[in-house]
Every structure is written in structure tokens, then in C-alpha cells.
Amino acid sequence: MNSDSFRNKRNGFETMDGGQAGGPQKKSPVGKIIGMAATVLVLAILALNSTYEIKEQEQAVLITLGKAQAVSEPGLHFKIPFIQQVRKVNTTIQGFAIGYNTESEEVDEDESLMITSDFNFIDVDFYVEYRYSDPVKALYASKAPLDILRNISQSCIRTVIGSYPVDDVLTTGKNEIQASIKEMILGRLEEQDIGIQLVNITIQDSEPPTVEVMEAFKAVETAKQGKETALNNANKYRNEQLPSAQAKADGIIKDAEARKTERINEATAQVARFNSMYQEYIKNPAVTRQRMFYEAMEDVLPDLKVIIESPNGNMQTIYPIESFTGTPETEEDDTRQSAAVRGQSGSSAPTDEEDLPADESHER
């Protein structure tokens, strides 16, 4: 047996009994411990690789031999170790800035400097909010989906800004511009289908590119505000004056209508009176004409008394024309008025009937 052991050692072999024939060999305790530790380690590795956890705001992509499958339910899940792989995607709303750096707050002129429809340069900063809507497409539809979203956003922003004048971009048109950009980006993302959904895009700031231009724009805005103030004051004054002017105009119109009605009624009455007088005139023209002559003389000379003096010195009152409201005239006034009449008639008055008008003589 010793020769066999020696031969085995010489040939590079050892007998199981350590070169001693016949007796069984005992295992070393160190080997047992190492074996047990290796077994535990392998089991731990298998256990750790067979489970994964999905949080509330996450989705996972389970990859089985190159085939991807979305897992959206939160909690603990199992997988086959070394055969299945898991990649997680954050589905919360995230965002990035265009035109400035969110960490250093510095302006990026390559992104922010744009030109408007009226050929003015302007710096516009945007903030884009997005979320992953399909984790499988987000991981495998494109290599860099965020870069695609950024490029699409910049393209749509420049297209929309270039169709608006600078005043709208700076002041009143921001909401309309944001809505137009968002609608355009959503259409482009639907075409690309990269698993990213646009939540919102907002204009953070818009201003001229240089200090000189900025001051000029401020001066223009100040002038516009002054214009608006003047217009508001003018409208206020107009609103205050219009009611009173309208009231005066209504009063003038009503007075004119009243005078119109009065003149019409007066003319109608005169026509009626003339017609009635004409009917009487037709019946007896001479008497009517004489009566009208006396009435006219009474209206023209209401306070005059006509006295005719005969050649023999007798004075005779042919017809009195006195005022029925006044006091009788004195004798001195009568004498003065008679002298005036004599002076006008050549100091002689007709007494005979042949000297009177034909109609008057006939009537007597």
C-alpha cells in the first residue's frame, strides 16, 4: 500500500485517505461553513433579483427576453432573475426651461432671441411642463425623447412668435400666444408618438434684447398708457355731456313743435276768419269794405279823435276813434290834434256829401 501511495504521489495523484490505505477520511468543518455561506449568498441574490417595487408615481417596464411590457400597478412585483429586467419611469409632471437656465437664472440668447412679424427682436423665456404617458414608448420609441420635445417646442415657439407683432408679445397677446403654441406642440407630439404628453407651456418673461431698446419700449408703453388715459377722460366727458345736450336738443325740438302747432292753429284761425269775412263781403261789399276801413283805422289810430271843421267855423265830429281803456283827452289835446289834421288836409275838411267817398255818401 505504501508503494501504491508513493506511485500515486509520483504520478500527481493523492489517495482519498491521504495516502493511508483502508481507513475513511473525515470532512473539514471549514469547508462546510464555506459551502453554506455560498449557498446563502446565491439564495439571497436570487431573492433580491426576483422582486421589484413600483411606487405611486412610477410605472415600470418589464423586459422578458427583449419583449417590453408596461406595469402600472404600484406595489411589490415578482420577476424571473437574470431573465427578466425592470426599468422604471417617473410619471409625475416635470419641466424644463427654454431661454434661460433654471439653476443660474442666466439668459440663453440662442434660445430666447426671436423676431416678430413686424421685424422686431425680442427675448422670450418659456417653461415647458410634461409627463410620460407611455413608459414603453418613452424608453424605446426614441433615443432621447426629451431632446425631441425641446426641439419641437423651440420650433413651434419661433413659428408662433414670428406671426405676432411685438406689442402683442410684450403685453396683451400672451395668453393667445401660449394657447397657439400648446396646440401646435400637441399636434407635433401626436405625429411623433414618443410617449410624452405636454401638460402646459407658459411665457415666463418677454422683453427687448438691449437696454436701449428696452427704454424705448418703456417710453412707447408710457405713451400708450397716456393715450388710454386721455381716451378714458374724453369718453367720461362725452358721457357726462351727452345727456344734458340730448335734453337741450329734445327741449328745442319740443319748443319748435309747439311753435309749429301754434302757428298752424293761428294760420288756420286766420284762414277761417278770412273765409267768414269773405262770405260777408260777398253779401254786401261796400258796407263790409267800409266797416273794415273803420276797424283798421281804429287799430292804427286808437287814441285819435277826428274833427271836421266847416267853413263857417262849426266843428263837427264825424266818427270818434277813442281808446276804450284810456282816459278822455283834454281840450288842449283835442285842439292840437285838430290843428294837426287841418294842417295835413290843407285847413279844410269836406262837409258836403259829394266830397265824401262814393260808398260813404251812398250809405248816408
Side-chain angles (χ1 to χ4, degrees):
M1 295 298 295
N2 293 331
S3 59
D4 293 335
S5 299
F6 177 76
R7 190 180 303 113
N8 290 334
K9 289 180 180 181
R10 188 181 59 184
N11 294 331
F13 295 99
E14 278 190 40
T15 58
M16 296 299 298
D17 56 356
Q20 297 181 2
Q25 297 292 328
K26 293 183 180 182
K27 293 182 178 180
S28 172
V30 177
K32 291 182 179 180
I33 294 173
I34 294 173
M36 292 177 63
T39 303
V40 171
L41 181 61
V42 171
L43 292 176
I45 293 173
L46 294 176
L48 292 176
N49 288 331
S50 62
T51 61
Y52 62 95
E53 182 182 4
I54 300 178
K55 296 181 181 179
E56 187 68 27
Q57 297 177 346
E58 289 180 343
Q59 289 188 11
V61 177
L62 184 63
I63 305 168
T64 304
L65 299 176
K67 183 179 180 180
Q69 179 183 0
V71 181
S72 58
E73 295 181 359
L76 188 64
H77 298 267
F78 294 94
K79 66 182 182 68
I80 302 174
F82 306 109
I83 296 178
Q84 292 181 326
Q85 297 180 356
V86 176
R87 298 183 63 180
K88 298 179 182 180
V89 176
N90 186 2
T91 58
T92 58
I93 297 177
Q94 305 176 63
F96 58 86
I98 295 178
Y100 68 100
N101 192 330
T102 55
E103 296 180 356
S104 61
E105 297 295 334
E106 294 181 356
V107 177
D108 187 356
E109 292 186 356
D110 293 337
E111 295 182 352
S112 64
L113 187 61
M114 305 178 192
I115 187 170
T116 59
S117 62
D118 51 359
F119 305 105
N120 283 298
F121 290 97
I122 187 172
D123 280 331
V124 188
D125 303 333
F126 286 86
Y127 190 78
V128 180
E129 295 178 306
Y130 68 93
R131 59 181 297 269
Y132 290 103
S133 58
D134 190 333
V136 176
K137 292 181 180 179
L139 292 175
Y140 296 103
S142 61
K143 183 178 181 180
L146 286 182
D147 293 340
I148 295 176
L149 177 60
R150 177 181 287 272
N151 293 333
I152 290 176
S153 300
Q154 291 183 4
S155 174
C156 295
I157 287 171
R158 294 184 181 276
T159 300
V160 175
I161 293 295
S163 62
Y164 282 85
V166 65
D167 291 337
D168 293 343
V169 180
L170 288 174
T171 55
T172 59
K174 291 184 178 180
N175 293 332
E176 183 178 353
I177 291 173
Q178 291 175 174
S180 300
I181 294 173
K182 182 177 180 180
E183 183 178 359
M184 187 177 295
I185 293 175
L186 289 175
R188 297 280 296 275
L189 286 178
E190 186 176 356
E191 295 176 359
Q192 297 294 331
D193 194 19
I194 57 176
I196 293 182
Q197 178 185 0
L198 178 68
V199 177
N200 195 17
I201 181 169
T202 55
I203 297 178
Q204 297 296 105
D205 192 13
S206 58
E207 60 184 8
T210 61
V211 178
E212 292 79 4
V213 178
M214 189 182 302
E215 293 297 330
F217 273 102
K218 288 182 179 179
V220 172
E221 290 300 321
T222 303
K224 288 182 178 180
Q225 293 177 1
K227 173 186 173 183
E228 294 295 330
T229 303
L231 288 176
N232 293 334
N233 293 334
N235 291 330
K236 179 182 177 182
Y237 179 76
R238 180 190 64 183
N239 295 332
E240 291 176 352
Q241 295 298 322
L242 277 179
S244 60
Q246 188 66 37
K248 290 180 181 179
D250 293 340
I252 294 173
I253 292 174
K254 291 186 180 298
D255 291 341
E257 291 177 351
R259 291 191 62 184
K260 171 187 174 183
T261 304
E262 181 181 356
R263 295 293 295 272
I264 291 175
N265 294 335
E266 182 180 355
T268 303
Q270 290 179 359
V271 170
R273 183 173 62 183
F274 178 81
N275 290 333
S276 63
M277 292 177 63
Y278 182 70
Q279 295 297 328
E280 296 297 330
Y281 178 80
I282 293 175
K283 293 179 182 178
N284 196 342
V287 175
T288 305
R289 186 166 58 249
Q290 187 176 5
R291 182 175 60 84
M292 292 175 63
F293 174 75
Y294 291 154
E295 290 178 353
M297 292 300 296
E298 185 178 359
D299 292 337
V300 174
L301 304 171
D303 299 330
L304 180 64
K305 182 184 293 183
V306 179
I307 299 174
I308 301 175
E309 183 180 0
S310 62
N312 56 6
N314 295 328
M315 299 180 66
Q316 183 180 0
T317 302
I318 301 301
Y319 55 90
I321 302 177
E322 297 179 357
S323 175
F324 294 97
T325 58
T327 58
E329 296 178 351
T330 62
E331 186 176 354
E332 183 180 357
D333 294 335
D334 294 341
T335 304
R336 185 166 52 250
Q337 292 176 358
S338 299
V341 172
R342 286 197 300 270
Q344 294 177 359
S345 61
S347 300
S348 64
T351 56
D352 298 333
E353 291 183 357
E354 62 271 9
D355 295 329
L356 295 173
D359 295 337
E360 185 176 353
S361 173
H362 177 74
E363 182 179 1
R364 288 184 181 176

